[in-house]
């Protein structure tokens, strides 16, 4: 019972921040084309931790599955010109320096 109360307190204390983040998500989603958003939602539903977008981990690995990324793929990721999908886990990989 105490844990349930503690969880309710945490949810209540973070509700305002969660609402702010949801509004920002909707704002960003409105600027993305429907096809890309559909792919994002599909990836998000298919992975167990719901992380559809991951950054490069340790300079040469996918942040989702930690498999090595080829040098050519790393160059494509760094260029930020198109969406790069991990060939192992299917997540979207972004440049860690991308804002």
């Amino acid at each position: 019972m105490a844990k349930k109360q503690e969880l309710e307190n945490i949810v209540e204390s973070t509700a305002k921040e969660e609402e702010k983040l949801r509004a920002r998500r909707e704002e960003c989603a409105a600027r993305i084309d429907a096809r890309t958003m559909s792919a994002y939602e599909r990836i998000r539903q298919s992975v167990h931790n719901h992380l559809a977008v991951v950054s490069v981990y340790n300079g040469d690995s996918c942040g989702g599955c930690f498999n090595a990324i080829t040098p050519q793929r790393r160059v494509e990721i760094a260029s930020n010109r198109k969406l790069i999908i991990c060939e192992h886990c299917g997540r979207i990989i972004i440049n860690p320096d991308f804002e």
Side-chain angles (χ1 to χ4, degrees):
M1 193 70 176
K3 289 289 186 183
K4 192 171 189 175
Q5 183 64 35
E6 184 180 344
L7 177 61
E8 287 174 9
N9 289 341
I10 292 170
V11 169
E12 186 179 310
S13 68
T14 60
K16 189 180 276 187
E17 182 181 0
E18 181 180 355
E19 189 59 38
K20 190 187 311 180
L21 291 172
R22 285 186 192 276
R24 184 162 181 237
R25 180 188 191 277
E26 291 303 318
E27 180 183 304
C28 291
R31 291 186 278 158
I32 299 173
D33 65 288
R35 183 174 169 213
T36 304
M37 197 64 194
S38 171
Y40 167 80
E41 290 295 341
R42 190 173 52 252
I43 294 167
R44 193 162 182 261
Q45 293 301 318
S46 69
V47 293
H48 66 90
N49 61 0
H50 303 290
L51 290 177
V53 179
V54 295
S55 64
V56 176
Y57 178 78
N58 246 5
D60 66 348
S61 302
C62 169
C65 63
F66 305 107
N67 281 310
I69 301 171
T70 62
Q72 177 60 38
R73 285 290 239 206
R74 280 185 269 163
V75 169
E76 291 174 359
I77 292 166
S79 73
N80 293 327
R81 292 194 181 147
K82 62 180 182 174
L83 290 179
I84 305 297
I85 307 295
C86 176
E87 45 198 49
H88 301 283
C89 66
R91 291 180 173 102
I92 300 167
I93 305 174
I94 62 166
N95 187 357
D97 301 328
F98 185 70
E99 287 289 327

